[in-house]
Amino acid sequence: MRISELSRRSGVSVATIKYYIREGLLPSGRPTAATQAEYGEQHLRRVRLVRALISVRGLSVHTTRAVLGTLSRELPETHRVLGLATGAIRLAEETVHGSHQQAEVDTLIHEMGWHIHQDAPARTTLTDILTTLHGLGVPLNRQTLFSYARLAEETAMVDLEQLEGVEDPLELAERTILLTTLLEPALLALRRLAQEHQSTGRHSR
Amino acid sequence: MRISELSRRSGVSVATIKYYIREGLLPSGRPTAATQAEYGEQHLRRVRLVRALISVRGLSVHTTRAVLGTLSRELPETHRVLGLATGAIRLAEETVHGSHQQAEVDTLIHEMGWHIHQDAPARTTLTDILTTLHGLGVPLNRQTLFSYARLAEETAMVDLEQLEGVEDPLELAERTILLTTLLEPALLALRRLAQEHQSTGRHSR
């Protein structure tokens, strides 16, 4: 398809598509004439993905490039794509890192029977948050942490069910990024709704 | 206590504490002399809370002020503090809002038996994300959405258990904000870890 059709089908303006190409977020089309190029379904999927990451998640071009870079390096190892692509999207800013909490996270991962790369960014995030809560005098106790981990495991099972049946490795990786990153705000929104409901029940009687 | 002790106990510099006061994030101390003021345990708790929101969650001063503003307006209605305080922290940027997805969210809340304010920001976030996923050709099906909602409900129960026994309404509201906002990155980190584990299991065999 021409760039005009790619624009119409993706709902992204031609100028923005050209910007994505210049910024290395979208591969160029196949040249068909001096000023024309041909785009395929892969381009359409990629334009939609980039738009979702930038407009919906509010990621910077820099972070989006990092997320997509993981995708091209690590195919077809979906589990690496998951850990690393989302790792580019930082969850927290803090750098306080307690060795006690690090051991706590290692123990959790071990006892949950999880196989996780040593360099998975989520390890660090979790350690830093536990360290901060400890420093604020409201540490998360072991039982609570394990409750959350079990719920996270069930959530991940629901996540991965949605990827079943997708055979093309590139499409699988793109779908993975989309569901992971776009569902994060949705899941937090559900938690906030459930909290409001629960809290009304407990505190308004 | 003097500001120097407040600084020592909170780990936040005197200059930063003065900045928090100027920005309206922390109430002034009780003046004891022309250049001295007395601070209490409430100040200490508040300094730690502000620091966590800004440094760990990476919130702007503006957003932090909005979160804390809710706290002073809505005491002691914890369920309002929950919904509104976290509502000030935007989860997503998108403004695409589908009426079909709006109805889907209303149905979900109704069928879950949740009592939620009509103006809860999380309603809009959820609607917008569902609209976006639909537009990207990867809609969330009804069964999946309900699975996530049930897991969110269980998560909220674990959240609120941690607030039990806190009697002082201000402390309760502060603790609520802290646990809600600081646990968000921790829960997402746990989900990413669980995804990596699950994905390794499914795709590497």
Side-chain angles (χ1 to χ4, degrees), chain A residues 115-161:
Chain A
H115 297 282
I116 309 288
H117 272 81
Q118 200 54 48
D119 57 359
R123 277 181 188 265
T124 312
T125 303
L126 188 56
T127 303
D128 292 352
I129 297 286
L130 293 181
T131 307
T132 303
L133 287 172
H134 184 82
L136 288 167
V138 283
L140 214 59
N141 70 41
R142 187 188 148 84
Q143 192 193 329
T144 306
L145 182 61
F146 272 80
S147 298
Y148 284 134
R150 277 187 290 270
L151 289 166
E153 190 167 65
E154 288 184 57
T155 306
M157 287 165 79
V158 179
D159 294 335
L160 292 184
E161 275 166 19

Side-chain angles (χ1 to χ4, degrees), chain A residues 10-29:
Chain A
S10 64
V12 173
S13 73
V14 169
T16 301
I17 291 174
K18 287 182 175 170
Y19 172 72
Y20 288 171
I21 295 173
R22 278 200 308 278
E23 290 289 335
L25 304 173
L26 180 73
S28 307

Side-chain angles (χ1 to χ4, degrees), chain B residues 53-71:
Chain B
L53 293 177
I54 291 180
S55 303
V56 185
R57 266 312 296 268
L59 300 187
S60 67
V61 166
H62 178 81
T63 304
T64 303
R65 199 187 292 117
V67 169
L68 297 174
T70 314
L71 196 145

Side-chain angles (χ1 to χ4, degrees), chain A residues 172-187:
Chain A
L172 180 64
E174 286 178 344
R175 178 90 61 105
T176 300
I177 290 178
L178 202 59
L179 284 175
T180 304
T181 55
L182 283 189
L183 284 183
E184 287 187 344
L187 298 182

Side-chain angles (χ1 to χ4, degrees), chain B residues 151-166:
Chain B
L151 289 166
E153 191 167 66
E154 287 185 58
T155 305
M157 287 165 78
V158 179
D159 294 334
L160 292 185
E161 274 167 19
Q162 296 167 73
L163 299 174
E164 280 177 5
V166 182

